[in-house]
């Protein structure tokens, strides 16, 4: 164990003292927020150029109701379709609406002079559909129909409580939107950690093997101890990063945010956290927004999420890094490792895809078993935890994960102790299986 601890300290200190580690640790939360906000900002500021569309309306019903905006400008014309297509080449296109559009809503044609897009086409068809619906409603001869429809239009927000957890009045409402967003974020974090830190171990083994450092080290350390120390050393780096993020989020969410949020909103948040939402306090705010803030300012909830994140990051990394270390010891360069690395990365990608099943039904049999199987459980289980699943499922998943790690280390060490002395040849999967069966 003294040899293993020396290797752990060496691997840990070598990476933690790098500027890249400090920069990554500090910038990763900012990068995650940017990745979530960027799509909305891109959609907001990436408006296309102005597109002028000539409209030929044979029915006389649609053209007066078309509304121009910053991107689409509709202009009526008395030219025929053939003349407009020939003479109005400077326009984005010519929109032709048939005389029987009310009975045949498919009689709409757009002759574009350049490449069109789904957003442009959807904008046009949505406006035409709205106009046709209004024309059909006029046949019912109801006065002030538009005002009536606006008055009866109602938006309903529902608060969800877990009746199977507690039937007390002070149980906190849960938001499926918050759970879904948080599940995606946590699952994606696990996905990145498993690939990034697992590949880090593999590259480290390949570099030391090519420099023949391993041949010197195994003269005083068993190959098993060397591999285990390397895995645990890098694992501590991942744990330190998650712990730092957890402390920052706990401080910001649990301590700082309550003082930054307006008093009126905070009153609604506190009433939701207490499970007795005050109608007057929450009436002026979006219930989903209040439930999101309630979750972000719940110190106990944040601690629970990050403790689970630490356990699954550590266990998932240990499992996969053992396999990555075995692959790194069996090859001489990163290019040769790509073929052997594929069976390792496929379960991680499958786990990321399985998050869709979790979003659809967190308690389904498919989501449950993929959160228990150790190769997919770190990602899938972290996507399920925000939905407040039973503790026994989390504990069962952790036990299976860590027991599987022990078996995987034993299996990978048999490949590792042979592979670190092999040079000049990329082994096949059949040869790796043969190395596992070797007796020592």
């Amino acid at each position: 164990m003294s040899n293993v601890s020396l290797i752990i300290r060496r691997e840990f200190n070598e990476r933690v003292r790098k500027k890249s580690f400090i920069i990554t640790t500090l910038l990763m939360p900012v990068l995650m927020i940017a990745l979530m906000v960027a799509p909305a900002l891109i959609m907001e500021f990436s408006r296309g150029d102005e597109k002028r569309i000539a409209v030929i309306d044979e029915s006389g019903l649609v053209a007066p109701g078309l509304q121009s905006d910053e991107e689409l400008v509709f202009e009526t014309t008395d030219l025929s379709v053939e003349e407009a297509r020939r003479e109005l080449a400077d326009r984005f296109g010519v929109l032709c609406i048939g005389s029987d559009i009310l009975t045949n809503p498919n009689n709409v044609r757009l002759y574009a002079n350049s490449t069109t897009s789904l957003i442009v086409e959807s904008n046009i068809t949505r406006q035409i559909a709205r106009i046709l619906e209004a024309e059909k409603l006029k046949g019912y001869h109801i006065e002030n129909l538009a005002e009536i429809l606006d008055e009866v239009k109602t938006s309903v927000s529902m608060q969800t409580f877990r009746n199977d957890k507690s039937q007390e009045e002070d149980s906190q409402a849960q938001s499926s939107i918050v759970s879904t967003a948080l599940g995606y974020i946590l699952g994606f974090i696990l996905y990145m950690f498993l690939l990034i830190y697992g590949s880090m171990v593999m590259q480290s083994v390949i570099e030391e093997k090519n420099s023949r450092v391993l041949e010197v080290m195994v003269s005083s350390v068993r190959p098993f101890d060397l591999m285990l120390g390397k895995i645990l050393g890098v694992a501590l780096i991942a744990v330190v990063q998650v712990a730092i993020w957890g402390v920052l989020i706990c401080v910001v969410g649990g301590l700082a945010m309550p003082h930054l949020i307006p008093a009126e909103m905070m009153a609604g948040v506190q009433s939701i956290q207490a499970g007795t939402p005050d109608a007057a306090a929450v009436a002026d705010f979006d219930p989903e927004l209040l439930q999101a803030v309630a979750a972000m300012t719940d110190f106990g909830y944040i601690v629970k999420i990050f403790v689970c994140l630490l356990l699954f990051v550590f266990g998932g990394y240990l499992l996969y890094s053992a396999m990555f270390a075995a692959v790194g010891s069996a090859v001489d360069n990163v290019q040769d490792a790509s073929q052997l690395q594929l069976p390792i990365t496929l379960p991680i990608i499958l786990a990321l895809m399985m998050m869709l099943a979790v979003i659809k039904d967190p308690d389904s049999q498919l989501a449950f078993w993929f959160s228990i199987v150790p190769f997919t459980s770190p990602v899938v289980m972290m996507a399920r935890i925000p939905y407040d699943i039973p503790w026994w499922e989390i504990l069962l998943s952790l036990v299976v994960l860590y027991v599987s790690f022990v078996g995987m280390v034993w299996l990978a060490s048999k490949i590792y102790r042979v592979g670190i002395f092999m040079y000049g040849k990329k082994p096949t999967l059949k040869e790796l299986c043969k190395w596992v069966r070797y007796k020592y």
Side-chain angles (χ1 to χ4, degrees):
M1 290 304 298
S2 60
N3 291 335
V4 174
S5 62
L6 286 173
I7 298 171
I8 291 174
R9 285 200 298 270
R10 183 255 181 187
E11 294 290 334
F12 181 80
N13 292 330
E14 180 184 4
R15 289 169 173 80
V16 167
R17 292 176 180 176
K18 290 182 178 179
K19 293 182 179 179
S20 58
F21 172 81
I22 300 174
I23 295 174
T24 303
T25 303
L26 297 178
L27 292 184
M28 185 62 74
V30 179
L31 179 61
M32 291 294 296
I33 295 174
L35 288 175
M36 291 185 289
V37 176
L41 294 177
I42 291 174
M43 293 298 295
E44 178 67 23
F45 295 104
S46 64
R47 295 193 179 105
D49 298 332
E50 183 182 79
K51 299 176 177 59
R52 309 182 74 84
I53 299 178
V55 180
I56 302 175
D57 185 7
E58 298 175 356
S59 68
L61 300 174
V62 177
L66 291 174
Q67 298 178 354
S68 301
D69 54 25
E70 296 179 356
E71 186 174 358
L72 295 181
V73 178
F74 297 99
E75 301 172 340
T76 57
T77 178
D78 296 328
L79 298 175
S80 66
V81 176
E82 292 74 15
E83 291 173 340
R85 295 178 62 185
R86 184 174 58 254
E87 298 178 12
L88 301 180
D90 59 332
R91 305 294 195 276
F92 175 77
V94 178
L95 178 64
C96 301
I97 301 170
S99 58
D100 60 342
I101 185 65
L102 202 59
T103 57
N104 182 18
N106 295 324
N107 193 2
V108 180
R109 302 181 305 279
L110 175 65
Y111 299 97
N113 293 319
S114 62
T115 304
T116 184
S117 66
L118 179 62
I119 295 178
V120 171
E121 296 176 5
S122 298
N123 190 340
I124 296 172
T125 55
R126 184 171 59 252
Q127 289 205 47
I128 295 176
R130 174 182 53 79
I131 295 169
L132 295 179
E133 290 171 358
E135 287 294 327
K136 291 180 179 180
L137 287 173
K138 288 180 181 179
Y140 291 92
H141 305 290
I142 302 175
E143 296 182 1
N144 301 324
L145 182 59
E147 291 79 1
I148 294 174
L149 291 176
D150 288 337
E151 289 179 2
V152 301
K153 186 180 296 182
T154 305
S155 177
V156 178
S157 297
M158 181 176 63
Q159 296 186 39
T160 304
F161 296 86
R162 288 290 297 271
N163 196 44
D164 58 337
K165 292 286 183 181
S166 173
Q167 296 192 20
E168 300 177 0
E169 293 185 357
D170 60 350
S171 59
Q172 181 176 337
Q174 296 178 334
S175 171
S176 59
I177 295 179
V178 174
S179 300
T180 300
L182 189 57
Y184 261 122
I185 294 171
L186 293 175
F188 193 73
I189 288 175
L190 262 295
Y191 170 79
M192 290 195 306
F193 264 83
L194 295 182
L195 285 181
I196 293 174
Y197 285 98
S199 300
M200 187 184 298
V201 172
M202 182 184 69
Q203 293 173 358
S204 175
V205 173
I206 293 175
E207 291 173 0
E208 292 179 353
K209 181 179 177 181
N210 289 334
S211 63
R212 304 300 173 95
V213 173
L214 290 177
E215 295 182 4
V216 178
M217 296 180 69
V218 295
S219 62
S220 56
V221 181
R222 293 186 306 165
F224 176 83
D225 296 339
L226 180 59
M227 186 188 74
L228 185 62
K230 186 176 293 293
I231 291 173
L232 294 177
V234 180
L236 288 179
I237 301 173
V239 170
V240 168
Q241 278 193 326
V242 174
I244 292 174
W245 297 342
V247 171
L248 290 176
I249 292 179
C250 287
V251 170
V252 174
L255 301 178
M257 282 190 64
H259 301 285
L260 301 176
I261 299 174
E264 297 81 5
M265 179 181 287
M266 199 60 205
V269 169
Q270 291 173 349
S271 66
I272 289 178
Q273 289 177 338
T276 55
D278 184 2
V282 302
D284 298 332
F285 302 99
D286 183 7
E288 289 291 349
L289 175 61
L290 291 179
Q291 291 176 6
V293 176
M296 294 170 59
T297 55
D298 189 342
F299 190 78
Y301 181 76
I302 295 174
V303 171
K304 169 192 169 183
I305 291 295
F306 273 95
V307 168
C308 293
L309 182 62
L310 276 174
L311 293 175
F312 279 101
V313 163
F314 191 69
Y317 164 79
L318 293 178
L319 178 70
Y320 275 96
S321 61
M323 294 185 283
F324 277 110
V327 170
S329 67
V331 297
D332 295 334
N333 53 69
V334 177
Q335 290 75 19
D336 291 340
S338 59
Q339 182 179 355
L340 298 176
Q341 190 179 348
L342 182 61
I344 303 175
T345 56
L346 281 178
I348 306 178
I349 298 174
L350 176 62
L352 190 65
M353 296 171 59
M354 278 306 303
M355 285 200 302
L356 298 176
V358 172
I359 301 305
K360 183 178 180 181
D361 186 1
D363 292 327
S364 66
Q365 290 294 316
L366 191 64
F368 170 78
W369 287 110
F370 271 89
S371 63
I372 300 300
V373 175
F375 297 102
T376 57
S377 63
V379 176
V380 178
M381 182 56 81
M382 281 310 306
R384 293 184 65 207
I385 286 177
Y387 291 93
D388 199 17
I389 61 174
W391 274 106
W392 70 266
E393 294 186 15
I394 301 176
L395 295 177
L396 176 61
S397 179
L398 287 171
V399 170
V400 174
L401 178 62
Y402 281 86
V403 170
S404 301
F405 154 69
V406 175
M408 186 56 64
V409 168
W410 174 82
L411 188 67
S413 65
K414 298 177 78 65
I415 298 175
Y416 185 86
R417 68 177 67 190
V418 177
I420 57 177
F421 299 110
M422 293 289 183
Y423 296 94
K425 180 184 177 183
K426 181 176 69 175
T428 62
L429 291 176
K430 183 178 180 181
E431 290 176 324
L432 292 180
C433 295
K434 187 183 297 184
W435 293 358
V436 173
R437 295 194 298 267
Y438 285 163
K439 298 183 182 297
Y440 301 96

